Amino acid sequence: MSGSDFDLGAAFIPALHKPAPLLPIAKHRESLLYLVESYPVTIVVGQTGSGKSTQAPQFLEHAGWCADGKVIGVTQPRRVAATTVAIRVAEEFGCEVGKEVGYSIRFEDVTSESTRIKFLTDGLLIREALVDPLLSRYSVIMVDEAHERSISSDILLGLLKKIRRKRPDLRIIVSSATLQAEDFSNFFSEAREDAASEARQEGKGDIATIVSLEGRTYPIDILYLESPAEDYLEKAVSTVLDIHTNEPKGDILVFLTGREEIDQAVQAVSERSAQLPPGSQSILPLPLYAGLPTDQQMYVFEEAPENYRKVIFSTNISEASVTIDGIVYVVDSGFVKLRAYNPRSGIESLTVTPVSKASAAQRAGRAGRTKPGKCFRLYTEEAYQSLPSANVPEIQRSNLAPFILQLKALGIDNVLRFDFLTPPPAELMTRALELLYSLGALDEYAKLTKPMGLRMAELAVEPMMAKTLLSAPSFGCLSEILTIAAMTSLGGNIWIQHEGEKKKTESAKRKFAAEEGDHLTLLNVYQAFITKGRNESRFCHDNLLNFKAMTRAVSIRNQLKRYLERFGLNVDESLAAHSTSTGGGSSNKAEQIRRCLTAGYFAHAARMQPDGTFRNVSGTTVLHAHPSSIMFNRKADWVVFHEVMETGTKAFIRDVTRIEKAWLLEYAPEFYKTG
DNA sequence: GAGCACTGC
């Protein structure tokens, strides 16, 4: 710490070790090219700012890796990253985006015949493999941000390892943060049964190599608490005020776990900053989380007014997805909300969990982007030492059904023997296989069915919704189900909720409410948007609807419709014109929709108990209607629901629709044979 | 009567 005598010194003690600096990418140009030339797999280790994502592809292009019309593919875990990096590289390259340098993300393909360097999301590259299993148009594939261990980048690495055996010419670059570089290199070097002889010939270690690059970050002082904080939220607030009164200029970024905490902290800081001595600099506290409307998110990027210090209270969104300039101080609560999946109950949960060392390092790094910074960790150095080195990879804590389906469609029949970077628990695999079998996507030998399973894999929605869509023609409601599929895959972003205006949102929703449940309500919302809202800018505003989300629903619907038409299924839109709300002459249509939903979502059925809670079919799990649901506080008997998530101690079901018990037996006789 | 961290096709 610097020489000044602030109180912070009493509570925070400096870290013992600092990482040694490495070399920057420009100096490594020749060695990088040499390594890619000599080794099938190169692991590039470098932090954000090292220029690996922007420079490496250009080096390779100039060195002739696209000479024979081949393409260098660079995958990113997020859409924004794919587009922004592409734009920057095109600028450096001196071309228009979409010419020599382009990008491709869902709904946006900005590439052309002349594209040589192509940025794309990793999920999209997996999809390209459905059409071109050996990814033959690529000479080099670089998987960027692989250390994040998203499901799709993990699966992509598994596929690339497999492809490499058939395409020795393919060059693979894995870009990672320091901690896991060895894991990647071991993964590609490691011999597995069928590749054992090949690996013996090449010799272990000759396949993959590691190169380290320096990040262009400034030094960061890491400070720990001397003793554990009882309440990290309170400690975060007081630390912010301490920094504000004792430390020189510079904005503060505080990592918390969720919206509720963030709103509380913003409130507390604005109250306490009112008590600062008159004439002193003021604090401008701002919230940042994904659920925030875009215009409010933009505030964090604006410079604070004269005589204000900006303090951003953020979720994990600032750890990798969003970069804010001018941050000098980071306050790290040491916690994050993580998703887990219980294969026994099929329930996802969202729980507050201690961060990993890798996360903590990433958070600290956000302080040193423009000048030397400080990171205040709201835990002791001992506690830090006991943190896991990395997060549990997503593939080990998710519902695998959509990915198993994709692997099967890629011709990987024995998914249990697929070469995973980290294999998921057997229970997760079994659960996914069982669900896919019950939906008719797999036969009794666990082989992909045709056309059902193959079509389900091609549709860009989760398996139960895919089944619902493919069943819809026989219920005469394909147009409506298309809309429902698009609306449910948006997640919870349909409504705009302004602070302290919960009541307003509720009454806005009620206008579209359908007696039958949330799916029909979503259908009403979409149809109102299509008929009135698309051209009237006031429609969304007046009804507290999220215009961006609704526009996205239109895109998703169009894309799904194109898939279905390619399958030869005719989408008759003429019937969709009139409303399906109760009371009209279309209650038969509403029933067909509910029946069709049952045909896909029979595994997500529940029955309401006299006390108003729900119970799943086996009666083992208590479920609650989510407060956002139309079925919250309404009477029902049997229902199906889109998803179930546990937060705190309760499991909530979202997007709920009434059904008849008899339909479950009718559409899923095998699943409910004991009933 | 109570609430979704973050991505992606």
Side-chain angles (χ1 to χ4, degrees):
Chain A
M1 294 178 62
S2 60
S4 53
D5 53 345
F6 25 78
D7 299 348
L8 283 170
F12 289 95
I13 49 176
L16 300 174
H17 310 290
K18 284 174 193 171
L22 303 162
L23 299 166
I25 190 162
K27 288 185 206 159
H28 272 252
R29 186 176 187 275
E30 291 311 315
S31 60
L32 183 71
L33 289 174
Y34 168 77
L35 292 174
V36 174
E37 185 82 35
S38 324
Y39 294 86
V41 183
T42 306
I43 322 288
V44 179
V45 178
Q47 287 154 0
T48 36
S50 63
K52 57 186 161 54
S53 339
T54 54
Q55 299 302 305
Q58 296 186 71
F59 293 164
L60 293 163
E61 198 278 338
H62 292 318
W65 281 93
C66 304
D68 46 359
K70 289 253 164 83
V71 175
I72 297 165
V74 184
T75 73
Q76 296 291 333
R78 283 168 291 278
R79 292 162 56 92
V80 268
T83 56
T84 52
V85 180
I87 290 166
R88 229 178 78 203
V89 171
E91 224 169 77
E92 290 178 15
F93 197 90
C95 73
E96 223 175 287
V97 190
K99 294 288 164 59
E100 282 77 13
V101 180
Y103 67 89
S104 188
I105 56 178
R106 189 183 187 182
F107 306 131
E108 252 181 279
D109 182 14
V110 189
T111 61
S112 61
E113 276 297 296
S114 52
T115 300
R116 295 288 161 260
I117 302 175
K118 175 173 167 184
F119 293 88
L120 72 172
T121 48
D122 35 32
L124 200 58
L125 188 59
I126 294 176
R127 261 178 195 272
E128 281 190 10
L130 282 174
V131 189
D132 175 11
L134 293 180
L135 298 171
S136 52
R137 46 187 302 226
Y138 297 97
S139 57
V140 183
I141 290 172
M142 173 166 167
V143 181
D144 206 0
E145 315 283 353
H147 62 274
E148 288 187 20
R149 303 295 309 271
S150 72
I151 292 195
S152 17
S153 80
D154 266 23
I155 287 187
L156 186 58
L157 291 173
L159 287 175
L160 290 174
K161 182 171 175 181
K162 207 173 154 68
I163 289 171
R164 200 191 69 74
R165 290 188 197 123
K166 296 204 177 118
R167 273 196 62 197
D169 59 308
L170 177 69
R171 288 298 180 265
I172 299 163
I173 301 177
V174 181
S175 115
S176 159
T178 318
L179 282 169
Q180 275 128 22
E182 291 285 338
D183 293 353
F184 294 115
S185 123
N186 290 339
F187 172 68
F188 280 102
S189 304
E190 164 185 289
R192 294 255 315 199
E193 296 91 306
D194 47 341
S197 59
E198 178 202 359
R200 264 196 299 278
Q201 277 171 14
E202 293 186 80
K204 190 178 149 78
D206 285 344
I207 295 172
T209 181
I210 300 175
V211 56
S212 294
L213 310 169
E214 177 194 274
R216 222 179 303 155
T217 50
Y218 295 86
I220 295 153
D221 272 338
I222 310 262
L223 302 150
Y224 294 95
L225 284 184
E226 273 177 346
S227 55
E230 268 175 44
D231 176 353
Y232 67 78
L233 189 57
E234 162 56 31
K235 191 74 195 167
V237 170
S238 62
T239 303
V240 162
L241 284 141
D242 287 346
I243 294 171
H244 182 64
T245 43
N246 297 311
E247 296 275 344
K249 255 174 82 171
D251 296 335
I252 308 173
L253 175 61
V254 187
F255 284 99
L256 295 173
T257 69
R259 172 157 88 179
E260 205 178 348
E261 272 177 18
I262 288 169
D263 289 343
Q264 273 182 45
V266 167
Q267 181 76 21
V269 165
S270 47
E271 277 165 17
R272 281 189 229 178
S273 65
Q275 294 155 17
L276 289 170
S280 57
Q281 198 194 29
S282 310
I283 304 182
L284 178 67
L286 295 167
L288 180 63
Y289 42 84
L292 210 60
T294 331
D295 54 323
Q296 285 185 57
Q297 282 187 8
M298 296 320 280
Y299 292 138
V300 305
F301 300 108
E302 284 171 23
E303 216 172 301
E306 187 77 11
N307 210 31
Y308 272 88
R309 191 202 289 265
K310 194 163 70 177
V311 181
I312 296 150
F313 291 94
S314 170
T315 61
N316 228 27
I317 192 171
S318 304
E319 196 181 296
S321 314
V322 171
T323 303
I324 305 153
D325 284 327
I327 299 295
V328 179
Y329 308 100
V330 161
V331 178
D332 177 12
S333 66
F335 289 97
V336 63
K337 254 185 209 170
L338 276 187
R339 179 164 55 195
Y341 180 75
N342 179 343
R344 288 262 170 88
S345 61
I347 295 178
E348 277 188 336
S349 61
L350 205 53
T351 37
V352 174
T353 320
V355 293
S356 64
K357 287 190 181 113
S359 262
Q362 182 77 13
R363 290 178 172 193
R366 298 273 136 175
R369 294 184 55 82
T370 38
K371 59 173 158 171
K374 284 186 182 174
C375 174
F376 299 87
R377 291 183 172 159
L378 303 180
Y379 39 96
T380 63
E381 187 157 13
E382 266 179 322
Y384 169 78
Q385 292 305 341
S386 67
L387 292 175
S389 59
N391 289 337
V392 177
E394 207 182 2
I395 203 165
Q396 294 193 308
R397 49 186 171 88
S398 307
N399 170 15
L400 297 179
F403 298 92
I404 298 299
L405 195 55
Q406 283 214 324
L407 288 177
K408 293 269 180 187
L410 287 165
I412 295 154
D413 265 332
N414 196 342
V415 287
L416 296 170
R417 279 195 50 212
F418 181 70
D419 208 344
F420 292 104
L421 197 53
T422 336
E427 247 186 325
L428 282 178
M429 297 286 271
T430 313
R431 171 97 186 179
L433 289 166
E434 280 169 0
L435 175 69
L436 292 172
Y437 171 73
S438 76
L439 289 170
L442 302 179
D443 65 18
E444 58 267 46
Y445 306 105
K447 278 210 166 264
L448 194 69
T449 57
K450 284 172 189 166
M452 179 57 87
L454 188 59
R455 286 176 175 179
M456 281 174 65
E458 285 187 42
L459 284 168
V461 287
E462 39 124 28
M464 288 194 273
M465 188 52 89
K467 176 63 186 288
T468 308
L469 267 171
L470 293 168
S471 310
S474 62
F475 291 93
C477 56
L478 183 51
S479 168
E480 289 81 0
I481 295 291
L482 259 176
T483 301
I484 290 169
M487 291 292 280
T488 50
S489 56
L490 288 176
N493 303 321
I494 296 158
W495 303 95
I496 297 218
Q497 208 167 72
H498 292 292
E499 263 185 64
E501 291 187 346
K502 290 177 192 176
K503 289 263 157 63
K504 257 182 147 176
T505 317
E506 291 303 309
S507 59
K509 269 187 211 174
R510 215 149 292 162
K511 270 192 252 175
F512 302 98
E515 184 63 26
E516 296 87 348
D518 296 313
H519 294 96
L520 276 290
T521 304
L522 291 172
L523 181 59
N524 288 340
V525 170
Y526 184 89
Q527 292 193 342
F529 175 74
I530 284 300
T531 49
K532 301 179 199 121
R534 250 202 302 194
N535 303 313
E536 271 177 60
S537 60
R538 294 219 45 94
F539 176 83
C540 281
H541 182 263
D542 293 347
N543 290 288
L544 296 177
L545 277 168
N546 182 342
F547 181 82
K548 255 179 84 180
M550 293 307 298
T551 313
R552 193 173 154 76
V554 175
S555 306
I556 296 176
R557 192 183 186 283
N558 284 336
Q559 192 189 39
L560 293 174
K561 187 178 168 181
R562 282 198 301 276
Y563 277 119
L564 293 167
E565 285 169 346
R566 229 182 47 216
F567 300 156
L569 301 172
N570 181 39
V571 184
D572 184 355
E573 301 281 27
S574 65
L575 297 167
H578 51 78
S579 168
T580 39
S581 62
T582 349
S586 51
S587 59
N588 189 49
K589 174 61 67 92
E591 179 175 326
Q592 292 308 101
I593 294 168
R594 289 157 61 220
R595 282 175 177 269
C596 183
L597 284 167
T598 311
Y601 281 85
F602 53 84
H604 275 181
R607 186 182 198 180
M608 190 178 265
Q609 307 299 305
D611 65 358
T613 63
F614 290 89
R615 208 57 59 89
N616 68 344
V617 176
S618 62
T620 48
T621 313
V622 181
L623 305 165
H624 300 259
H626 191 273
S628 66
S629 170
I630 285 292
M631 301 310 290
F632 185 75
N633 264 359
R634 287 201 200 192
K635 281 269 171 282
D637 191 21
W638 285 90
V639 295
V640 287
F641 53 87
H642 182 70
E643 59 176 5
V644 50
M645 180 165 276
E646 192 180 302
T647 52
T649 52
K650 283 181 178 175
F652 292 96
I653 52 178
R654 313 166 71 86
D655 296 334
V656 185
T657 284
R658 297 175 204 270
I659 57 148
E660 303 289 332
K661 182 191 181 188
W663 300 348
L664 291 171
L665 303 170
E666 195 177 336
Y667 305 125
E670 239 187 293
F671 198 79
Y672 288 111
K673 59 190 160 202
T674 51

